[in-house]
Structures are given as C-alpha cells and as structure tokens.
Amino acid sequence: MLNVESLNQFYGGSHILKDVSLSAQRGQCTAVLGRNGVGKTTLLRCLMGLVAPRSGDITWDERSVLALKPHERVAAGFAYVPQGREIFARLSVKENLLIGMAAHSGAAARRIRDDVLDFFPVLRQMMDRRGGDLSGGQQQQLAIARALLAQPSLLILDEPTEGIQPNIIQDIQRIIAALAARGDMAIVLVEQYFDFAAALADRYVVLERGSVIASGDRSTVASEATRALLAI
Ligand SMILES: Nc1ncnc2c1ncn2[C@@H]1O[C@H](COP(=O)(O)OP(=O)(O)O)[C@@H](O)[C@H]1O
Ligand SMILES: [Mg+2]
C-alpha cells in the first residue's frame, strides 16, 4: 500500500504541494483530480523521486521511499507513465518497450511478455516502426505497455487521455479497469477528464492550489459536488 503523508513541496518560493495526504491500495484505482496547475504532476514527480518534497513522507508497504532514487523506486515496483507520454521518437516500438524492462536482468528481460502485448494488439503490428511515427493514442498505449513491462506493483499514470481520440480512451479505460481487477497492483491515476476518472476511481482526492479539498470513495466520486469542484 502507498501512503502519502502531509507532503509539502516548493519550487523556489512557491508553495506547490500543501500537506497533501492520500493512500492507494493494491487492487484499487486512486484518482487524483484537479484543474491545470494545481500540482498533480508535481505530486507524481515526488512519488517517483524526480523532485524532493520539503517535508512529509511517502511510504510503500510501510517503508519510507524518500531516500530512494528514481531507479531504485522502479526496482521497488513503481512505474510511471508521464504526462505527454515521453516516447523515444527515434527508437522503434520494440526498443521503447525494451527500455521498460531495463530494470530486470536475465532472459526474462529480453522477452516482451505476451500478456502485456495482449492488452495492446496494435503494438504487435508496429514493432519496427519508430515511436515518433505513431499516433498520439498509439504512443499512449506504448507508454503504458512500457510501464507494465517493468512488472510494477504501483502504476502511476499522468493524464493518459490527454489529446487521445475517444475510441482509444475507451480501450485505455478497459485496460486500467482490468489491471485494477487483477488485484496485484495499486494504480494512481491523475486525470482532468472527469467521466473517465469517475468510471475507474475506487477512491479519489481533489486538489486545488496544492491542497486536498475533497476526497472520498466510489460512492461519492460522481456526485454533483465533486464535479462542481472541477468545473472550469
Ligand atoms: N519545474 C518547475 N519550476 C517551477 N514551477 C513549476 C515547475 N513545474 C511546475 N511548476 C508550477 O507548479 C504548479 C503545479 O504544476 P503541475 O504540478 O504541473 O500542475 P498540474 O499537473 O496539476 O497541471 C504550477 O503553478 C506550475 O506552474
Ligand atoms: Mg500535469
């Protein structure tokens, strides 16, 4: 289980995250909702160790991960699908996928697992294409597949629907639901697309200017009040 306890983070003099607390359990999807600029990506970068919080703690199965570097968090089971996907445009699809397995060694690290590719049949036909030649939706699928190949127990996704056509959004929703149902993975999903997040969220927090202003479970996520907190 992931626990974020009273996290505070600053960029220079700007107080970006203010006493943010949340938890995420295996078998569940925890949604982090909020408008542009409220600190969602910064929170995820803290989870991955890409920026350091000033105070607070992040624990995974009751051990603090704050001292771990990003690659050590990957080895501990954290996988990150960043906002904007960050596919290597000049590398092939296959090479992008192999990078997802770099944390593992031995023969298993050289085989791209079928159970991951079964989620993304389109990638099977595109193994030798360059990442940069894929559509936005295909790149997003590649980014999620790359993360899954690290065999994570914590999957962190930053706005996976951003700039993606509706039919692929549906595919991604089905895949995230299937991953949560498997029960072996905690999922932290940052989203602004409310209906997508509400369909997947077992629990949620709403961020506003760096603070958690609302939280709850599946029974309240779709309420008018939650929706109103996110309306522009
Ligand atoms: N590297 C950075 N340096 C300084 N300020 C930043 C940096 N990254 C983000 N910010 C600021 O921090 C705030 C939160 O940004 P971000 O976490 O990206 O929000 P969100 O993902 O919710 O849109 C914004 O005001 C943004 O301008
Ligand atoms: Mg963001």
Side-chain angles (χ1 to χ4, degrees), residues 57-72:
D57 204 357
I58 300 169
T59 64
W60 175 243
D61 290 341
E62 275 146 51
R63 287 204 199 100
S64 178
V65 299
L66 282 186
L68 301 184
K69 298 196 167 65
H71 71 274
E72 294 170 321

Side-chain angles (χ1 to χ4, degrees), residues 1 15 22-23 33 38 46-47 52 58 62 71 88-90 103-104 113 128 145 158 168 177 179 199 214 224 232:
M1 174 167 173
H15 197 173
L22 61 89
S23 63
L33 308 170
V38 298
C46 286
L47 294 182
I58 300 169
E62 275 146 51
H71 71 274
F88 296 98
R90 303 176 72 94
H104 297 272
R113 281 171 30 237
D128 299 320
D158 197 349
I168 296 187
L179 292 169
E224 286 304 314
I232 312 279

Side-chain angles (χ1 to χ4, degrees), residues 20-60:
V20 170
S21 297
L22 61 89
S23 63
Q25 294 183 19
R26 285 183 179 77
Q28 292 199 346
C29 176
T30 300
V32 178
L33 308 170
R35 286 173 279 209
N36 259 332
V38 298
K40 303 181 300 298
T41 296
T42 302
L43 171 63
L44 299 190
R45 291 173 63 79
C46 286
L47 294 182
M48 289 311 296
L50 297 166
V51 295
R54 184 172 295 180
S55 65
D57 204 357
I58 300 169
T59 64
W60 175 243

Side-chain angles (χ1 to χ4, degrees), residues 11 16 20 44 68-69 73 77 81 95 103 118 122 150 197 209 222:
Y11 282 128
I16 304 295
V20 170
L44 299 190
L68 301 184
K69 298 196 167 65
R73 297 193 201 192
V81 181
E95 288 163 338
D118 287 346
V122 69
R209 273 180 279 159

